Amino acid sequence: MIIVLFGKPGAGKGTQAPLLAAELNVPTLATGDVLRAAVRAGTALGLKAKACMDRGELVPDGIILGIVGEELSAPQYRRGAVLDGVVRTVAQAEGLQHMLAISGRKVDAVLAFDVENEEIVRRLSGRTVCERCQTPYTGRAVGSVCERCGGALVRRKDDEPDAVRTRLRVYDEQTAPVIDWYLQHGEPVAMIDAVGAVEDITRRALRALGR
Ligand SMILES: [Zn+2]
């Protein structure tokens, strides 16, 4: 069962991914994690990715999909995976479909976590991070003290309201068309109301998967 998680930054994909994976008894696969692992392991694609990053460039879709594909062919993904952050553009959706087809697989469901923009701005601006050890916090004011190391909490520039609105604009332009692409290709897309308690959202997602 290959599940694609989809949604705005701050919609809670990263929170839901491990919970859903545990319920479905498959691993999660997050692009950032497999990319870092491939770079660390020094695989052929990992070295290409590192060369891009060292030049300050984005890693091209083809390399990322190749790394995701190598990971997905490992035995622990035989029963499927919950993909977090793998598909952000139409090109990546097409690439993933193509790559899965080679091994006779396909995306079984797309779960789109739905949250209104102003709620996202509120959520992300309530997030702070320790400037020393990078521990993330929710609902702690800037300048509070980190429980772990005593460092000061700061808000990431990315999480300032204006920056969040810019990220949401990019999402709407680049990522929202992915939903249309999946619908046009007959993939089951489920919109999940992603406002409320974490366990309620997990339950809605599982219900959308027929669990
Ligand atoms: Zn700290």
Side-chain angles (χ1 to χ4, degrees):
M1 193 169 210
I2 308 269
I3 310 290
V4 169
L5 301 192
F6 202 77
K8 294 166 189 172
K13 297 184 298 293
T15 303
Q16 292 296 329
L19 299 172
L20 290 169
E23 290 284 344
L24 299 168
N25 197 21
V26 296
T28 59
L29 191 162
T31 303
D33 294 343
V34 292
L35 185 58
R36 278 189 293 274
V39 169
R40 255 198 321 271
T43 66
L45 288 171
L47 292 176
K48 282 188 190 171
K50 184 172 186 303
C52 297
M53 293 188 276
D54 287 347
R55 289 195 300 266
E57 295 167 9
L58 284 175
V59 181
D61 284 348
I63 293 177
I64 291 185
L65 275 168
I67 289 171
V68 168
E70 282 180 351
E71 178 73 12
L72 268 179
S73 66
Q76 67 263 36
Y77 300 99
R78 203 168 26 86
R79 300 186 61 253
V82 172
L83 304 183
D84 174 13
V86 172
V87 180
R88 292 172 199 268
T89 64
V90 170
Q92 289 166 351
E94 285 171 344
L96 178 67
Q97 186 194 48
H98 181 72
M99 186 202 53
L100 290 173
I102 293 170
S103 54
R105 300 211 270 184
K106 63 177 181 59
V107 170
D108 294 288
V110 178
L111 299 181
F113 290 93
D114 190 30
V115 182
E116 285 197 9
N117 283 0
E118 280 315 299
E119 166 70 10
I120 296 278
V121 172
R122 203 186 57 75
R123 278 187 196 180
L124 295 188
S125 59
R127 240 171 33 171
T128 47
V129 60
C130 172
E131 65 180 350
R132 201 182 295 165
C133 73
Q134 303 300 314
T135 299
Y137 290 90
T138 307
R140 298 280 194 89
V142 170
S144 306
V145 173
C146 172
E147 280 172 14
R148 199 169 286 177
C149 77
L153 304 191
V154 295
R155 188 186 282 148
R156 290 172 51 215
K157 280 202 171 61
D158 256 15
D159 289 340
E160 297 287 351
D162 282 348
V164 172
R165 290 195 183 92
T166 304
R167 287 161 72 190
L168 290 170
R169 222 170 14 250
V170 171
Y171 173 88
D172 283 335
E173 283 165 14
Q174 203 172 62
T175 307
V178 177
I179 296 285
D180 294 331
W181 185 89
Y182 274 117
L183 288 170
Q184 281 160 18
H185 287 74
E187 305 280 0
V189 176
M191 299 299 286
I192 311 294
D193 173 8
V195 178
V198 168
E199 57 271 25
D200 289 339
I201 298 165
T202 307
R203 209 172 301 127
R204 285 174 206 146
L206 289 170
R207 206 181 304 136
L209 295 172
R211 301 288 174 125

